[in-house]
Each structure stands twice: as structure tokens, then as C-alpha cells.
Amino acid sequence: MTAPQGRGSAESDGISGADGAFRILHVSTGNVCRSPITERLARHALTERLGDMRMGGLLVESAGTWGHEGAPMEENAVAVLLERGADADGFRGRELLDEHVIRADLVLTATRDHRAQVISMGHSAGLRTFTLKEFTRLVRAIDPATLPAPRTAEGVVERAQALVQAAAALRGWLLAPSPEADEIYDPYGAPIPYFRSVGDEISSALDPVVTALTGVPAHT
């Protein structure tokens, strides 16, 4: 089995009915900067740590609350991904739809406003929707020994499901030190140094999440 395509990519339309998969949905505004960077960095890190076979249980996708449907990724976002060794090919933006939220097992947003917009769509999304930084904070507090071992694709899915449930249970106990602590600000229209700083911010937030999902720490 090959690594799955992100739902923000042109190649991804054929996998929406894959049985038994765990879907991670990254959400920002236009789906041309933050959420594509997060989607592709997440896929890259997950594949590096799990390999294609076990990664087959996870589908990583993205969309935007004001998504530019069919639009390419911003050039500076592409540059950030290429500098980090991630694949930027074939991406097309999507507007967030009810069906995306319904299918998602975990929704990770760039900001609190995005989180509120996803939850307002209904579909019992509240317990599985977090800002990325919020989810990172919660995941750091979860004992990995309490999660299923990700030895197979099915085990990866079970571990991901358990991780979301544990994070939701901790949400009221581990609050952000400030409202801004859970925000990843929009680099749209900014020069490449700002895009790089956003890429660093996203990568740092993703690393504990990927480690918790896979049980495999980043290579040093």
C-alpha cells in the first residue's frame, strides 16, 4: 500500500470511502497556506516514522473555511515544504464542507476562530476538534503507555482514536496560558521569512502529535 494522498490534493478523491481509516483534517482560512503546510508536513512525518504499510490506516487532508476551491498552494508555502523535504505536488485547495467534518476523526485548526466555525457546523464535532497547538498541549500530558501499540495499520487507527478520546477528556483541565498561545497566524501575502517562521511553528506543534500517534520519536 502506498502512502495516502491528502484530501487537499488532486489525487485524493478516490480514497474517501476507504474502510477503517482514521481521517485527520487540517483547517485554516483559504486552504492555500497554513493548512496545506500542516497537511503535507504531517503526511511526511507520519510516513517517515511508520512507513507506507502502517501509514495506510491514516488519511491526512485539509480544507479552508473560506477555501479557494481548486487553487494551488501559495508559492512560499511550497518553498517551505520543499525545504523540509515534504511533497507539495498535486495540491488543490478546498472549501470546508459538511461532508469533510462528518468524515473526519480528528480536526486540527490553525486558530480558535477556525475551531469555532468547525464546531458550529454540528455533526458532533466538538469532541474531535482542536486547534493544533491546543491538541499538542493536551497530547503532551497523555501517558503513551496507556495507548494501543501501533504495530499494524489497524493498531495505528486504534491508537489515534484513543489519543483523541484522551485529549478530549483533558481539555477542561489543561488550559492555554493565553488565548494567543493556541493561534497560528496567517502568512498569506507575507515574504518567505515569515512563511518559514510559520513552518517552524507548525512543525514544532506537529512533532509531539506525530510521536503520540506513531509511538516513534523524531529522528535526531
Side-chain angles (χ1 to χ4, degrees):
M1 179 182 295
T2 58
Q5 301 296 324
R7 292 290 302 151
S9 69
E11 300 95 331
S12 62
D13 292 339
I15 59 173
S16 61
D19 292 336
F22 184 94
R23 288 177 173 79
I24 303 170
L25 176 67
H26 295 290
V27 175
S28 62
T29 303
N31 194 216
V32 292
C33 298
R34 288 168 291 180
S35 51
I37 291 173
T38 314
E39 172 198 321
R40 295 305 177 94
L41 287 180
R43 285 172 50 191
H44 179 66
L46 287 165
T47 303
E48 274 196 330
R49 300 193 206 183
L50 287 176
D52 288 351
M53 291 303 294
R54 285 188 294 164
M55 172 62 184
L58 302 175
L59 301 180
V60 185
E61 43 193 40
S62 65
T65 55
W66 289 86
H68 302 296
E69 189 71 31
M73 200 185 309
E74 281 288 292
E75 290 184 5
N76 283 344
V78 172
V80 166
L81 290 174
L82 294 180
E83 288 171 0
R84 292 178 171 275
D87 177 19
D89 290 344
F91 183 88
R92 293 294 180 269
R94 298 191 310 170
E95 182 177 358
L96 182 67
L97 301 176
D98 289 282
E99 64 189 71
H100 304 146
V101 177
I102 291 168
R103 288 201 302 259
D105 299 287
L106 172 62
V107 184
L108 297 175
T109 70
T111 69
R112 292 168 296 146
D113 282 346
H114 297 134
R115 181 185 64 195
Q117 289 179 66
V118 171
I119 293 172
S120 73
M121 295 172 72
H123 315 301
S124 303
L127 292 177
R128 50 195 166 91
T129 302
F130 310 79
T131 73
L132 172 59
K133 287 186 172 182
E134 174 191 20
F135 194 66
T136 300
R137 182 174 65 254
L138 298 172
V139 158
R140 288 182 184 275
I142 296 169
D143 182 356
T146 65
L147 303 173
R151 295 189 180 93
T152 63
E154 292 78 11
V156 170
V157 169
E158 290 175 4
R159 186 181 181 93
Q161 292 168 339
L163 186 68
V164 172
Q165 291 170 4
L170 286 172
R171 175 179 264 156
W173 298 93
L174 292 175
L175 302 179
S178 69
E180 293 74 22
D182 282 344
E183 304 284 288
I184 297 174
Y185 293 107
D186 194 355
Y188 185 79
I192 187 64
Y194 190 76
F195 267 83
R196 289 190 178 113
S197 70
V198 169
D200 291 343
E201 194 174 0
I202 290 171
S203 182
S204 294
L206 276 175
D207 180 65
V209 174
V210 174
T211 298
L213 284 168
T214 63
V216 181
H219 299 298
T220 58

